[in-house]
Amino acid sequence: MADRSKGFMRDEFVTYAYILLYIALSSGQIFFNKWVLSSKEINFPYPLGLTLLHMIFSSVLCFLLTKVLKTVKVEEGMTLEIYVTSVIPIGAMFAMTLWLGNTAYLYISVAFAQMLKAIMPVAVFILGVAAGLEMMSCRMLLIMSIISFGVLVASYGELNINWIGVVYQMGGVVGEALRLIFMELLVKRKGIKLNPISLMYYVSPCSAICLFVPWIFLEKSKMEGNGTWNFHFVVLTLNSLCTFALNLSVFLVISHTSALTIRVAGVVKDWVVVLVSALLFADTKLTIINLFGYAIAIAGVAAYNNHKLKKEASKVPSETPADGDSIPLVSQAYTNTER
C-alpha cells in the first residue's frame, strides 16, 4: 500500500513537473523571440530568418530522434497523396503563422500580441463553419461575441497601439486558424493521428521550404547589407533549441495528462506572458482596461474549450486513442506557443 502511494505521488510530481516545464518553456520562448528580434545587443530584426532557422533546426533534430537514435516512433499511414493535400498546406500555414506572429513583435508589445491572440477561437470557428466542420448555434455565437468583445476592450485600452503590428498579428491568427482547420481535416477525412514529434517531423521541412523562398526576396539582401551573417551563433542556436524543447514538452504533457490539462496550462501561460512581459519589456504598458478586456476574452476562450472538450468526450469511444502517445491533432489546437 505504501509503495502504491509513493508511486502515485511520484506520478503526480512528474505530471506537475511537465506542466511547469511546458509553461516555463512556452512563455520563455515568447520572451526569448522578442528579445532576439528587438534587442540592440543581438541586432537580429529578421523574423523570417529566425523562423527559418527554427524550422531547419527542428527538421534536423526530428530526423535524428526518429531515424538515427530512434527514440521516438514516427506514426505510420502517411502517403504521398496525404502529404501533398494535407501536410504541405499545414506546413505552409504554420510557416505563415510563425513568420507574421514573430514580425508583429517588431511593432507591438508581447502582452498586446498575446491579447490579440485570444481572438483565435473566433477565427477557427468561422473557418470551421465555412469548411463544414462546425455548426452555428446560439451558444457558440454568444461565446464568439464574448471573446470578440473582450479583445476589442483590450485593444481600446492599449496605450501604444501600432496598426501595422496589429495587421501582422491578425494575419498570424488567420494562418493559425487555417492550420488548425487543415489539421482537423487531416484527422477526420484522412484518419491520420500524429504525436507532436511525428507532426514536426513531417511539417518542419515543408515549413522551412515555404519560409526560404520569401526569405531570399525579403531579408537575405538586408542581412548581407548589414553584415548580419556574423550573428550570435550561440544565442540563436539556444533559441532554436528552446523552440524544439517546447514542442517536446507539449509531447510530454499530453502523453501524461489530457487535452483539458494542456488547455488549462495554456490559459495560465497566457496570463504569465501578459503579466511578466510588463516587467521585462519597456514597450509594455498595461492598463486596467487592457486587463479587464483580456479577462473577458479569456473567459470566452475557457467556455469555448469547455464546449469543445464536451463535444470530443461525446464521440464514439473507439475514436479515442488507447494511449497518450498518439492523439488527434485537434486536441493540440492551442499548443502552438512559439510566438
Side-chain angles (χ1 to χ4, degrees), residues 230-247:
N230 297 319
F231 54 67
H232 294 70
F233 176 81
V234 174
V235 172
L236 294 179
T237 301
L238 183 59
N239 182 262
S240 300
L241 184 61
C242 287
T243 299
F244 186 80
L246 171 59
N247 291 320

Side-chain angles (χ1 to χ4, degrees), residues 119 143-155 292-293 296-297:
I119 201 74
I143 291 174
M144 297 303 111
S145 299
I146 291 173
I147 295 174
S148 300
F149 176 72
V151 172
L152 284 174
V153 172
S155 300
F292 178 68
I296 294 174

Side-chain angles (χ1 to χ4, degrees), residues 1-307:
M1 190 72 178
D3 291 339
R4 183 180 300 178
S5 178
K6 288 182 179 178
F8 176 77
M9 292 180 63
R10 184 169 57 250
D11 291 341
E12 286 286 295
F13 175 79
V14 171
T15 298
Y16 284 116
Y18 285 146
I19 293 173
L20 290 175
L21 177 65
Y22 161 73
I23 293 175
L25 285 172
S26 180
S27 54
Q29 185 61 38
I30 292 174
F31 300 145
F32 204 169
N33 286 349
K34 170 72 173 181
W35 180 64
V36 168
L37 290 168
S38 60
S39 71
K40 295 180 180 179
E41 294 86 355
I42 303 301
N43 190 29
F44 197 82
Y46 306 106
L48 255 176
L50 182 65
T51 309
L52 175 59
L53 185 62
H54 290 169
M55 291 299 100
I56 293 174
F57 195 87
S58 178
S59 299
V60 173
L61 281 185
C62 282
F63 179 81
L64 291 176
L65 283 175
T66 57
K67 297 301 182 181
V68 179
L69 300 176
K70 296 184 179 180
T71 55
V72 179
K73 181 182 177 182
V74 177
E75 304 292 333
E76 299 179 354
M78 184 63 64
T79 65
L80 179 61
E81 185 267 336
I82 293 176
Y83 192 88
V84 171
T85 60
S86 297
V87 175
I88 289 180
I90 290 172
M93 291 302 101
F94 192 44
M96 172 182 168
T97 298
L98 298 180
W99 168 23
L100 297 180
N102 283 330
T103 303
Y105 290 148
L106 298 176
Y107 301 94
I108 59 178
S109 67
V110 169
F112 186 46
Q114 203 69 22
M115 292 177 185
L116 292 176
K117 277 178 62 179
I119 201 74
M120 180 73 67
V122 177
V124 173
F125 180 72
I126 292 174
L127 292 174
V129 171
L133 297 172
E134 297 280 1
M135 294 292 293
M136 183 65 73
S137 66
C138 292
R139 177 184 176 85
M140 290 304 295
L141 190 60
L142 175 62
I143 291 174
M144 297 303 111
S145 299
I146 291 173
I147 295 174
S148 300
F149 176 72
V151 172
L152 284 174
V153 172
S155 300
Y156 179 78
E158 179 65 16
L159 296 176
N160 301 312
I161 192 167
N162 184 306
W163 290 107
I164 296 177
V166 172
V167 170
Y168 274 119
Q169 184 64 23
M170 297 310 293
V173 167
V174 172
E176 176 69 354
L178 286 171
R179 181 182 75 94
L180 296 175
I181 294 300
F182 283 127
M183 287 170 67
E184 190 155 353
L185 290 173
L186 180 64
V187 172
K188 288 191 173 181
R189 298 183 182 177
K190 308 292 185 180
I192 301 295
K193 297 176 182 179
L194 303 173
N195 61 52
I197 300 300
S198 296
L199 180 64
M200 292 305 297
Y201 171 80
Y202 288 117
V203 170
S204 294
C206 176
S207 296
I209 294 173
C210 292
L211 290 165
F212 182 73
V213 175
W215 174 78
I216 290 177
F217 294 101
L218 298 177
E219 288 188 355
K220 182 174 180 292
S221 58
K222 294 180 182 179
M223 292 175 67
E224 290 175 336
N226 294 335
T228 317
W229 291 108
N230 297 319
F231 54 67
H232 294 70
F233 176 81
V234 174
V235 172
L236 294 179
T237 301
L238 183 59
N239 182 262
S240 300
L241 184 61
C242 287
T243 299
F244 186 80
L246 171 59
N247 291 320
L248 184 60
S249 72
V250 172
F251 173 75
L252 292 172
V253 171
I254 294 177
S255 297
H256 288 79
T257 57
S258 65
L260 174 61
T261 303
I262 195 70
R263 287 176 175 179
V264 172
V267 171
V268 174
K269 180 269 303 180
D270 291 341
W271 276 106
V272 169
V273 170
V274 169
L275 298 177
V276 174
S277 64
L279 303 175
L280 296 179
F281 302 105
D283 65 347
T284 301
K285 305 293 183 185
L286 296 178
T287 66
I288 297 298
I289 298 177
N290 268 150
L291 297 175
F292 178 68
Y294 188 52
I296 294 174
I298 287 297
V301 171
Y304 175 79
N305 284 340
N306 182 59
H307 175 80

